Amino acid sequence: MNHRTDRRAFLRAAGAVVGGLTLFPETADGRQKGKNAANGGYVLPSNLAMYNALSLVFGRAGDRAITANLFAQDKLEAVVEYGTQPNKYSSRTPPVTLATGQPLEMAINDLRPGTRYYYRLLSRKPGESAFHARPECQFHTRRPVGSSFTFCVQGDSHPERPQMSEPNLYARTLQHAAGCRPDLYFCMGDDFSVDKVRTVSADSLAAPYLLQRPFLSLVAQFASLYLVNGNHEQASLFNYNQTDERHEVAVGVQTARNRFFPMPATDGIYTGDTKELKGIGLLRDYFAWTWGDALFVVLDNYWHSQAIVDSGFKGGGNKKATDDKKNRDWWGITLGDEQYHWFRKTLEGSRARYKFVFAHHVMGTGRGGVEASENYEWGGKSKGKSTAGEFKKHRPGWELPVHQLMAKHGVSIFFQGHDHLYARQIRDGVIYQEVPLPADPTYTAFNDDAYTSGTKLANSGYLRVSVSPEEAKVDYVRSWLPKDETSSQKTGDIAHSYSVKPRT
Ligand SMILES: [Fe+2]
Ligand SMILES: [Fe+2]
């Protein structure tokens, strides 16, 4: 679409916030165009097809409420019945009508803090009198200090890349993680790539989000989901600031992200980005909260950097390369003043015994963990150059580079993706944990030469973190396609484990 021709129509089609009203796609037959957009055959195994028809994704879990984002391919009426005992549902939500291809957020309120709930999702088609019940699932409200719980983390899922992502293996990983009954589930980014988009439209930009809905619902019907922004999402300030179709890309992808997945914004539980962007509203891109004895911080590498951070958008009519990595201004790549100062205050003000920080990558680009953490705003050094006064000059008002700030405040683990392998390193007491791919059918350790220390292991699988007052134990849980399992390699095997002690 030409940027100048019909901007308002575009925003309407993207379901954007315009003039305070949320406008959703409208088509002649009332169906969302492109709901079955080409997905390159990346579909759930047939035994899980019901999640294509109807899916539930939790987010924004709190003390007394959780948000369920519901999505149905065809018009349905839905109800959630729930209670604190298995198979006994003492409460139910009012029924909601799901329009064809339109996500809908439903808050489940008046819950008890620190409580496990059991629930069933019921649905019926127009004209049906009886509801159909899904198997029982669970969710948990916010844990109090001193309690034990589990959270899980997946690395880049890259469904657009068949060479490193296989849908049956992805479903297998997600289902295995769901079996751990995590309270929280994190995706490290590069889950909604628009690399394959050639014609920019609301439908083409929303397609990666539609594709992931049934997959991520496998675990997010049990766990509150948190998305970390990756470089391939192209949700960035650099794109937003362009005057060509890259602006529409930034608006369209972030709008789709926040429609299809219930990300947090500042409220009584979460703190985060409070700025609204025209055409999008709240970005919901960085946020923090406590859960049990742990502080969780999700950072965003892309929405606050005027300079391009990693690869540019090369689809649509934008054939010019914008990601000249050799000549880029590395000091221009930034989390931004606002996010940095919020991060500093969040760490300073936290008395949590564990601090877990998530970002797609150190600096949002490059390769490696502790190796990259020395440089620019993350570590204060200009690569290969004398560094006296450089940091103060480039980041006036910043107390410390990001790494030194994390070390000062006792960050337990910094989680990142982007490099596509399992790697665990340590610098100044901060663990740098590269998270493996969930669905790589080649079981490769990509980019392992960028990691010059620590433990490195090949894909695929996810991380399970079991937090208790005494320790937080990290397990790398392997995942294999059935054809690749042997007596010595099975889904669920633990490839590597370590524990971190609480830091007070
Ligand atoms: Fe990636
Ligand atoms: Fe990446």
Side-chain angles (χ1 to χ4, degrees):
M1 173 178 289
N2 185 317
H3 171 61
R4 284 163 295 189
T5 51
D6 196 347
R7 181 173 159 71
R8 189 174 169 86
F10 174 86
L11 292 170
R12 178 183 293 276
V17 178
V18 179
L21 292 171
T22 303
L23 306 173
F24 292 119
E26 294 165 4
T27 60
D29 63 357
R31 296 168 72 87
Q32 185 190 34
K33 284 192 296 178
K35 71 166 187 170
N36 293 318
N39 54 24
Y42 204 96
V43 292
L44 282 171
S46 55
N47 63 321
L48 298 172
M50 68 176 184
Y51 295 101
N52 294 320
L54 173 63
S55 60
L56 181 153
V57 168
F58 281 125
R60 298 201 282 268
D63 287 327
R64 297 190 174 276
I66 194 166
T67 300
N69 186 301
L70 297 162
F71 177 81
Q73 269 194 343
D74 293 300
K75 189 177 177 185
L76 283 179
E77 195 180 359
V79 172
V80 171
E81 54 180 25
Y82 57 97
T84 56
Q85 302 290 322
N87 300 309
K88 288 183 185 167
Y89 311 112
S90 51
S91 304
R92 56 159 46 198
T93 64
V96 290
T97 300
L98 305 177
T100 297
Q102 304 289 341
L104 184 139
E105 283 192 356
M106 179 173 72
I108 304 176
N109 294 313
D110 302 321
L111 302 172
R112 281 192 230 151
T115 302
R116 181 172 298 284
Y117 281 86
Y118 302 82
Y119 78 95
R120 291 195 310 181
L121 175 60
L122 310 178
S123 66
R124 66 181 175 193
K125 293 177 185 164
E128 286 184 330
S129 55
F131 280 99
H132 306 277
R134 283 276 173 87
E136 184 179 83
C137 294
Q138 305 171 18
F139 65 86
H140 210 289
T141 53
R142 186 157 74 149
R143 302 271 183 173
V145 167
S147 50
S148 300
F149 66 95
T150 298
F151 70 92
C152 295
V153 192
Q154 75 170 42
D156 311 24
S157 54
H158 277 297
E160 83 287 3
R161 294 183 180 175
Q163 71 275 25
M164 58 174 70
S165 193
E166 204 284 336
N168 297 296
L169 184 55
Y170 190 26
R172 209 165 158 79
T173 301
L174 290 159
Q175 285 195 295
H176 198 277
C180 304
R181 297 292 181 263
D183 290 0
L184 317 171
Y185 193 78
F186 295 81
C187 296
M188 294 307 307
D190 288 359
D191 302 297
F192 308 95
S193 169
V194 289
D195 283 3
K196 297 272 169 78
V197 169
R198 291 295 168 265
T199 305
V200 171
S201 70
D203 291 345
S204 65
L205 299 173
Y209 297 86
L210 277 165
L211 182 153
Q212 285 276 7
R213 270 293 304 211
F215 283 92
L216 287 173
S217 76
L218 297 175
V219 66
Q221 62 182 338
F222 290 96
S224 192
L225 180 71
Y226 302 89
L227 303 177
V228 179
N229 193 10
N231 52 305
H232 289 281
E233 274 77 348
Q234 296 293 342
S236 71
L237 184 62
F238 177 83
N239 282 336
Y240 184 83
N241 284 345
Q242 305 307 308
T243 53
D244 55 27
E245 68 184 3
R246 286 173 290 181
H247 176 80
E248 270 72 18
V249 170
V251 171
V253 296
Q254 194 67 25
T255 301
R257 186 178 183 86
N258 290 339
R259 281 188 70 214
F260 286 100
F261 295 94
M263 291 300 103
T266 298
D267 60 14
I269 304 288
Y270 296 85
T271 69
D273 197 350
T274 54
K275 214 158 68 177
E276 299 197 13
L277 278 190
K278 197 177 169 195
I280 297 172
L282 284 171
L283 284 172
R284 302 174 184 276
D285 62 322
Y286 65 79
F287 35 83
W289 70 105
T290 57
W291 194 273
D293 290 319
L295 170 72
F296 291 88
V297 183
V298 169
L299 298 176
D300 171 45
N301 293 118
Y302 307 100
W303 264 116
H304 305 276
S305 182
Q306 300 274 350
I308 191 167
V309 177
D310 193 81
S311 46
F313 179 71
K314 298 192 191 73
N318 178 39
K319 302 293 182 261
K320 275 192 228 157
T322 51
D323 52 345
D324 177 3
K325 287 184 184 168
K326 280 189 186 139
N327 297 313
R328 65 174 42 177
D329 171 15
W330 286 86
W331 279 108
I333 296 170
T334 185
L335 295 174
D337 285 347
E338 225 165 294
Q339 182 174 197
Y340 174 85
H341 292 303
W342 165 85
F343 184 38
R344 180 179 54 72
K345 270 190 220 152
T346 300
L347 291 177
E348 263 174 24
S350 174
R351 301 184 63 174
R353 305 182 78 204
Y354 303 98
K355 290 171 182 153
F356 301 117
V357 177
F358 302 76
H360 187 56
H361 200 258
V362 170
M363 302 277 295
T365 187
R367 293 289 174 211
V370 300
E371 297 81 0
S373 76
E374 303 265 352
N375 300 327
Y376 307 102
E377 74 174 24
W378 208 275
K381 293 183 183 173
S382 287
K383 213 170 180 179
K385 289 183 189 164
S386 163
T387 61
E390 281 278 280
F391 179 73
K392 289 280 171 226
K393 185 177 98 191
H394 290 287
R395 293 293 181 271
W398 287 33
E399 180 197 344
L400 287 167
V402 175
H403 169 81
Q404 285 86 333
L405 190 73
M406 293 200 292
K408 176 182 174 181
H409 293 292
V411 167
S412 318
I413 305 176
F414 169 71
F415 294 91
Q416 68 169 12
H418 188 64
D419 290 334
H420 307 165
L421 76 162
Y422 176 96
R424 185 257 191 196
Q425 303 174 297
I426 190 159
R427 182 180 166 213
D428 302 331
V430 180
I431 289 168
Y432 278 70
Q433 176 66 66
E434 166 70 25
V435 184
L437 301 187
D440 169 20
T442 69
Y443 312 108
T444 301
F446 295 97
N447 300 305
D448 66 339
D449 55 347
Y451 289 79
T452 56
S453 66
T455 303
K456 300 185 279 188
L457 292 164
N459 301 320
S460 295
Y462 67 95
L463 302 186
R464 178 178 62 210
V465 186
S466 310
V467 183
S468 73
E470 294 76 36
E471 63 173 21
K473 181 164 173 276
V474 180
D475 294 319
Y476 172 18
V477 184
R478 293 299 306 267
S479 190
W480 302 91
L481 283 166
K483 72 177 178 63
D484 298 321
E485 289 191 320
T486 66
S487 56
S488 61
Q489 58 182 45
K490 284 193 162 33
T491 296
D493 287 351
I494 307 299
H496 189 231
S497 276
Y498 62 89
S499 293
V500 295
K501 293 292 173 196
R503 302 172 70 178
T504 49

